[in-house]
Amino acid sequence: ALKENTGLRSLQLNGNDIGNEGCIKLCEGLGARTEKINNLDLGNNSIGPEAGPAIRDYLAKDDALTHLNLYMNELANDGCAAISEALRDNKKIELLDIGGNNIGAYGAQKLAEALRDNTALVTLELGYNPIGPPGGKALAETVKFHGKINAIRMGWCKIGKEGGFAFADAIKYSSSLAVLDLRGNDLGDDGCAALAQSLAVVNEVLTNLDLGYNEIKDKGAFALAQAIKNNAEGSLSTLSMNNNYLTKFGEVALTEAVELVEEMSPGRELYVQF
């Protein structure tokens, strides 16, 4: 049916348990169409690494797809590596969601390598994948110099403070990264302080930073507060600190920093969420 249809532009099949066999057949059908779709959602469908090559081959044929959602499957490292091969030369996909796919460091490293040659991707959702510090470092290195990535969401990816250090370095160089979600990565005060140091000296692009659920205490909050004060004209507009270990002293320090910045830079709005 898909091969003969010429009007379909968006296909949403999330939550249907199509499995590997269904995904492979679907990719074959989509790849054979003369009229391509621009949005494909296959989230939560029990798709494993065996379907990775079929998705890769389909992506190589499709020159129209801009949004690809594969969240909550089981692609794992091999599936991610296969898809990454197609992303290297892809010129259309702007949003890729592969959150919750049990992707580890190897898969993240392959993805990072591919994205260094990719000039189209704007938003990457990678949350709930255990990529660890090595995966975090690899992606941060790509974000440094990738000219298009605007938003990267990596909540609960186990990147630790080492991953935090890498992203602190990345935001010094990135000319496009506006949204950075690092929730639940055990950054602690050290990772938070590293990010704060970067925000204090250079921050012309980043507008939204989410550091919730990172076991950050007052020491980290004080570092962020000082960074905000030191860069009153920075671009940051939303800082999320939900579910950390801040006392009233840490919260007051951040609140006072925001008030000072808004007083020094009329027209600037900065919201801190606790």
Side-chain angles (χ1 to χ4, degrees):
L2 283 175
K3 294 178 182 179
E4 298 174 0
N5 180 285
T6 59
L8 189 68
R9 292 293 179 270
S10 178
L11 181 58
Q12 296 176 295
L13 289 173
N14 52 300
N16 277 290
D17 199 25
I18 66 173
N20 289 322
E21 184 177 358
C23 180
I24 292 170
K25 293 296 184 181
L26 181 65
C27 287
E28 290 174 354
L30 290 172
R33 284 166 52 94
T34 54
E35 299 292 334
K36 307 300 184 184
I37 63 173
N38 52 44
N39 177 44
L40 178 61
D41 187 342
L42 297 179
N44 196 18
N45 267 299
S46 302
I47 298 170
E50 298 83 356
I55 299 173
R56 175 199 62 204
D57 294 345
Y58 158 60
L59 294 179
K61 298 174 184 176
D62 194 309
D63 58 358
L65 192 70
T66 60
H67 291 65
L68 176 60
N69 294 294
L70 296 166
Y71 55 88
M72 298 302 292
N73 282 295
E74 285 291 334
L75 291 171
N77 283 328
D78 289 344
C80 182
I83 293 169
S84 297
E85 292 177 26
L87 290 174
R88 188 181 300 275
D89 298 317
N90 186 277
K91 300 294 191 298
K92 285 291 185 178
I93 294 178
E94 299 174 359
L95 182 149
L96 174 64
D97 187 342
I98 48 174
N101 267 285
N102 198 28
I103 296 167
Y106 174 78
Q109 288 166 339
K110 287 298 182 182
L111 178 61
E113 291 171 9
L115 292 180
R116 288 171 195 165
D117 295 322
N118 179 288
T119 58
L121 194 69
V122 174
T123 300
L124 174 63
E125 169 62 72
L126 197 62
Y128 299 96
N129 284 299
I131 67 174
K137 291 177 183 178
L139 285 161
E141 189 66 24
T142 294
V143 168
K144 260 190 192 183
F145 305 112
H146 188 289
K148 292 281 287 187
I149 292 182
N150 174 266
I152 183 165
R153 296 183 174 89
M154 293 175 49
W156 289 273
C157 282
K158 300 185 178 181
I159 67 172
K161 65 180 181 181
E162 295 87 354
F165 296 158
F167 272 96
D169 186 46
I171 62 177
K172 293 179 183 178
Y173 298 92
S174 175
S175 60
S176 62
L177 187 65
V179 178
L180 179 59
D181 178 357
L182 296 177
R183 287 174 296 164
N185 275 296
D186 196 22
L187 298 179
D189 284 337
D190 290 342
C192 180
L195 288 161
Q197 187 176 13
S198 295
L199 293 175
V201 295
V202 56
N203 179 22
E204 298 177 352
V205 182
L206 191 69
T207 59
N208 294 69
L209 178 62
D210 196 333
L211 299 178
Y213 301 89
N214 267 298
E215 301 186 7
I216 297 169
K217 300 178 182 178
D218 286 345
K219 181 181 177 181
F222 294 153
L224 283 170
Q226 190 60 50
I228 290 170
K229 293 177 183 178
N230 290 348
N231 193 1
E233 297 181 355
S235 59
L236 192 67
S237 60
T238 302
L239 172 63
S240 298
M241 298 290 290
N242 306 68
N243 293 89
N244 281 297
Y245 298 148
L246 306 187
T247 69
K248 64 179 181 180
F249 298 107
E251 293 185 2
V252 167
L254 283 167
T255 301
E256 290 180 347
V258 169
E259 292 173 350
L260 177 63
V261 162
E262 292 181 344
E263 182 179 340
M264 294 173 61
S265 301
R268 181 184 176 188
E269 293 184 358
L270 174 56
Y271 175 63
V272 179
Q273 184 175 8
F274 298 111

